[in-house]
Amino acid sequence: MSTPGAAVPVRSRTHKRKTKKKHFVHQKVEVFRASEPVVSVLIWGVNHSINDLGQVPVPVMLLPDDFRASTKIKVNNHLFNKENLPGQFKFKEYCPQVFRNLRERFGIEDQDYRVSLARSPPLKAEEGHCVGLLLTSYDHTLVLKEISSEDVEEMHNILSEYHQHVVTCHGSTLLPQFLAMYRVTVESEDTYLLVMRNMFSHRLSVHWKYDLKGSLVSREASSKEKVKELPTFKDVDFKNNMQKVYVSVEEKERFMDHLSRDLEFLVRMRIMDYSLLLGIHDVDRAEREEEEEELESSCDEEEEDEGSPPPGSASPEGIAGYMNSFKPMGPGEFDPYVDVYAVQSAVGAPRREVYFMGLIDVLTQYDTKKKAARAAKAVKHGAGAEISTVHPEQYAKRFKDFITSIFA
């Protein structure tokens, strides 16, 4: 199962860097080069689109047409910057005014969004089960996921209700924060990309990762998955590992209130097959790793300055204020305005941890495909078996019951 709402960050460092850094050897990301035309066009298109939006007054209110609107640009024989951009390409942005409004409601300014997404090329996220591209922005605040044309249609189907839900809950939700949707066309091939806030932290590394659906049938990580550096474990693994989430009573109540409200929305939209993405940051382990890294690099004497932003780019700083985010933060500390899915472990918990919890994979409606899958599974496992493919109401109830049980 892919985890589109999250990508694990490479540990962010202070603005002085040793010339030799052994701790970068294990990183699981790859920078895109100019030979990646889809990403090059995406960066070009984001810059173009944010510039254009800046010239358009913010509407007093969104109209029904805004939820079906799009802007398109076609470029032929593009000579400028031809070493990075293909000669012909098309860029399409879906519902620009709606997503602009959503970004505002999620506390993200357009210029910061542009810096995070387009100042430097995005990185390939760690390998998963995702079909197509799965990227994270260079500052690890955004996730870009390649989706299908059917997903684009599904997004259009729920967008008006999703927007209203975000308005009603004042942007405080466990649902993915959808920030933009694009189509990039290169050599007559369309690539659809959905941009979301990263559910994991841009600075706190994740040591354990779970994808939880509330079903125990075929919900165990494969042997191949388990040997990865950061495996995505599932429901059976959660139980076998005797894992628990240790948060305060107040935090649990707040989380469950959000979950109940979000599940009501998903049931109303006839959506199912979603998961809770759970990432766990072990504070003590992170401290040990930090000390080991400092020990490894202590023999290096030369230093070079990494902290200067590119010329003329002192402002804006990106979603995390990334270029100037070197204010010292204590172990396990985070900015709740940036790491919006993060929850601190309770005082007196067995371990000092930070939990990242959010809902992912929310574009699957209970359609004929799911009905067929349910019938097939019922034949295989028996009509009363606890299978993943059930009606949206049943799915939500089972899901909520299971998620309630993950807390200590």
Side-chain angles (χ1 to χ4, degrees), residues 47-281:
N47 278 310
H48 184 276
S49 119
I50 295 296
N51 275 337
D52 277 4
L53 267 179
Q55 311 302 315
V56 180
V58 178
V60 176
M61 61 181 292
L62 294 173
L63 301 173
D65 284 351
D66 290 322
F67 290 87
R68 284 284 170 181
S70 63
T71 58
K72 291 186 269 189
I73 184 165
K74 182 177 181 180
V75 176
N76 289 312
N77 302 317
H78 195 81
L79 298 177
F80 175 72
N81 202 16
K82 62 182 179 181
E83 68 276 11
N84 290 330
L85 288 166
Q88 297 181 328
F89 61 85
K90 291 189 283 187
F91 180 82
K92 180 176 183 178
E93 180 177 16
Y94 295 96
C95 311
Q97 292 292 359
V98 176
F99 284 109
R100 175 200 221 178
N101 187 272
L102 285 169
R103 290 192 293 270
E104 181 184 349
R105 291 181 183 280
F106 290 134
I108 297 174
E109 294 186 12
D110 275 359
Q111 293 306 322
D112 288 329
Y113 170 79
R114 172 166 68 175
V115 167
S116 289
L117 191 53
R119 171 178 277 168
S120 293
L123 312 163
K124 280 184 181 176
E126 61 164 17
E127 270 186 50
H129 300 289
C130 177
V131 177
L133 291 173
L134 183 61
L135 318 174
T136 175
S137 62
Y138 83 100
D139 65 356
H140 308 290
T141 59
L142 301 173
V143 171
L144 301 85
K145 181 176 186 269
E146 183 176 353
I147 60 175
S148 66
S149 57
E150 290 80 11
D151 289 332
V152 172
E153 186 57 34
E154 182 55 38
M155 178 62 81
H156 278 117
N157 289 341
I158 70 166
L159 189 55
S160 179
E161 292 276 359
Y162 171 83
H163 178 269
Q164 186 54 50
H165 181 74
V166 171
V167 171
T168 304
C169 67
H170 305 290
S172 186
T173 176
L174 301 174
L175 294 172
Q177 292 192 2
F178 297 127
L179 305 176
M181 189 164 64
Y182 305 112
R183 186 190 71 192
V184 172
T185 306
V186 177
E187 295 180 359
S188 302
E189 187 170 330
D190 294 334
T191 301
Y192 302 93
L193 293 163
L194 185 60
V195 184
M196 299 165 276
R197 189 193 285 269
N198 190 355
M199 286 185 176
F200 290 165
S201 173
H202 71 289
R203 62 174 293 272
L204 299 179
S205 51
V206 166
H207 299 107
W208 292 84
K209 183 171 59 163
Y210 290 92
D211 178 306
L212 304 174
K213 287 185 183 292
S215 171
L216 300 178
V217 175
S218 304
R219 292 294 299 162
E220 183 175 4
S222 65
S223 301
K224 183 181 175 184
E225 181 69 26
K226 287 178 179 177
V227 298
K228 290 183 180 179
E229 184 176 353
L230 183 67
T232 301
F233 292 110
K234 298 182 179 178
D235 305 62
V236 172
D237 308 299
F238 190 90
K239 284 193 173 288
N240 290 345
N241 294 344
M242 293 187 289
Q243 184 74 60
K244 286 290 181 182
V245 172
Y246 299 91
V247 297
S248 67
V249 174
E250 295 77 19
E251 286 288 3
K252 178 184 175 182
E253 286 178 357
R254 187 180 67 86
F255 177 87
M256 292 307 299
D257 284 346
H258 287 168
L259 182 65
S260 298
R261 191 170 54 200
D262 291 337
L263 291 181
E264 286 172 12
F265 164 78
L266 293 171
V267 168
R268 198 165 65 247
M269 294 291 96
R270 308 292 290 161
I271 289 172
M272 50 181 295
D273 223 24
Y274 42 84
S275 305
L276 180 80
L277 179 66
L278 167 64
I280 303 174
H281 171 80

